Amino acid sequence: MNVHDSEKVIGTLIHEGYRQVNTVEQADLILYNTCSIRDKRSKSFQPPQRLQETPQARQKFGVLGCVAQQEGEKIFERAPHVSLVCGSASYRNCQKC
């Protein structure tokens, strides 16, 4: 459901000098684009928590989308390894970027 938003984020990051990689292990920045309509809010936190168990020191995690917009600072409390939270209405004004 968030294909358009994901494409906008990818385009912005590529414009800023980032590049896409093929595997999570290669990534320095891992972003999860959430959807409160499709996903239950608890599921939105599972991927970052699962990856926290074996993260590489250089990796940063971010949560994007409408769940991020609705939950805001609560995400940092539930998933302290998350480095940034950006709601779908504010991709250019992320919290804790």
Side-chain angles (χ1 to χ4, degrees), residues 1-2 32-41 43-44 63-68 70:
M1 290 188 78
N2 290 346
Y32 292 94
N33 197 359
T34 62
C35 177
S36 62
I37 295 170
R38 256 195 156 174
D39 298 330
K40 295 187 187 313
R41 287 188 185 143
K43 285 186 177 182
S44 298
V63 179
L64 310 176
C66 40
V67 173
Q70 293 166 358

Side-chain angles (χ1 to χ4, degrees), residues 21-92:
V21 295
N22 295 320
T23 67
V24 172
E25 293 77 23
Q26 294 173 309
D28 292 333
L29 175 62
I30 301 166
L31 300 173
Y32 292 94
N33 197 359
T34 62
C35 177
S36 62
I37 295 170
R38 256 195 156 174
D39 298 330
K40 295 187 187 313
R41 287 188 185 143
S42 61
K43 285 186 177 182
S44 298
F45 296 104
Q46 288 177 359
Q49 289 172 342
R50 193 174 0 165
L51 286 172
Q52 181 191 18
E53 296 169 8
T54 57
Q56 298 180 23
R58 71 178 196 292
Q59 290 179 320
K60 301 231 182 268
F61 299 95
V63 179
L64 310 176
C66 40
V67 173
Q69 187 167 314
Q70 293 166 358
E71 298 295 319
E73 291 288 326
K74 292 177 188 175
I75 293 174
F76 297 120
E77 294 168 14
R78 290 183 66 183
H81 53 284
V82 170
S83 300
L84 62 97
V85 172
C86 297
S88 53
S90 62
Y91 287 140
R92 295 178 190 250

Side-chain angles (χ1 to χ4, degrees), residues 5-16:
D5 284 348
S6 294
E7 289 174 350
K8 285 185 352 186
V9 170
I10 290 167
T12 299
L13 290 172
I14 288 173
H15 184 269
E16 293 295 321

